[in-house]
Amino acid sequence: MPKSVQPRECSIADALDLVGERWTLLAVRELSHGVRRFDQIIRNTGASRDILAARLRKLETAGAVRREQYSDRPARYEYHLTPAGQELGDVLLTLMKWGDRHLNAGNPPLTLQHACGETLEPEVVCAHCGQPARRGLHAPAGRGALKRD
């Protein structure tokens, strides 16, 4: 009799339940760049109205986005990232860096200028020591750590 599969507990899996598909992350991208209105987000992402509405509702329910009404007749809303949603911007920066390096090498479709005046080069580092957080420099611990038979 086969053993029942018990997936590893993991915040990556939990986060992917919320943002793990194209339209959600592209909506967060647009909101990160200051695009607030539904029709503008549709235009810049290519998402259909019903899919985008569902993704924005899901982000709102999770506390990553808030709606603000800007028109009564008809009722129209702008979307804003909450602090939790703003943190997703860091995820998008590292995803963009990976795409620039591995999918658009030498010709990125967009670059971002940092406040220092240079092209932004995001890097994930340990908040305690400042060293890169790359494979081989960290190990899983806690309830989701790999259990060996």
Side-chain angles (χ1 to χ4, degrees):
M1 179 182 283
K3 293 182 179 180
S4 65
V5 177
Q6 292 290 332
R8 180 191 311 213
E9 289 183 62
C10 175
S11 292
I12 295 170
D14 295 341
L16 287 172
D17 282 342
L18 175 64
V19 299
E21 56 77 47
R22 174 184 185 94
W23 306 120
T24 302
L25 289 175
L26 290 178
V28 171
R29 177 197 67 191
E30 292 306 308
L31 294 169
S32 294
H33 290 303
V35 177
R36 306 271 182 255
R37 303 226 170 138
F38 189 80
D39 287 338
Q40 294 170 328
I41 297 170
I42 287 173
R43 183 180 62 239
N44 292 349
T45 63
S48 68
R49 296 181 77 76
D50 58 331
I51 288 175
L52 181 61
R55 298 314 182 261
L56 288 169
R57 274 192 305 274
K58 192 172 181 181
L59 286 167
E60 186 178 12
T61 299
V65 167
R66 65 178 162 72
R67 286 188 317 158
E68 290 183 9
Q69 190 169 352
Y70 69 88
S71 174
D72 288 329
R73 294 185 184 191
R76 294 193 188 272
Y77 298 88
E78 288 185 333
Y79 296 87
H80 298 268
L81 292 173
T82 65
Q86 290 170 0
E87 287 183 41
L88 285 170
D90 295 340
V91 174
L92 293 179
L93 290 174
T94 55
L95 189 60
M96 180 178 161
K97 179 180 178 178
W98 185 90
D100 288 349
R101 179 175 290 136
H102 298 286
L103 304 176
N104 293 297
N107 189 24
L110 175 73
T111 59
L112 300 173
Q113 187 176 20
H114 191 268
C116 71
E118 296 297 321
T119 300
L120 179 65
E121 284 289 331
E123 186 71 31
V124 178
V125 298
C126 174
H128 296 283
C129 70
Q131 294 298 308
R134 288 214 164 80
R135 189 176 61 136
L137 298 178
H138 60 271
R143 72 177 190 269
L146 181 62
K147 294 176 176 72
R148 303 199 185 267
D149 291 329

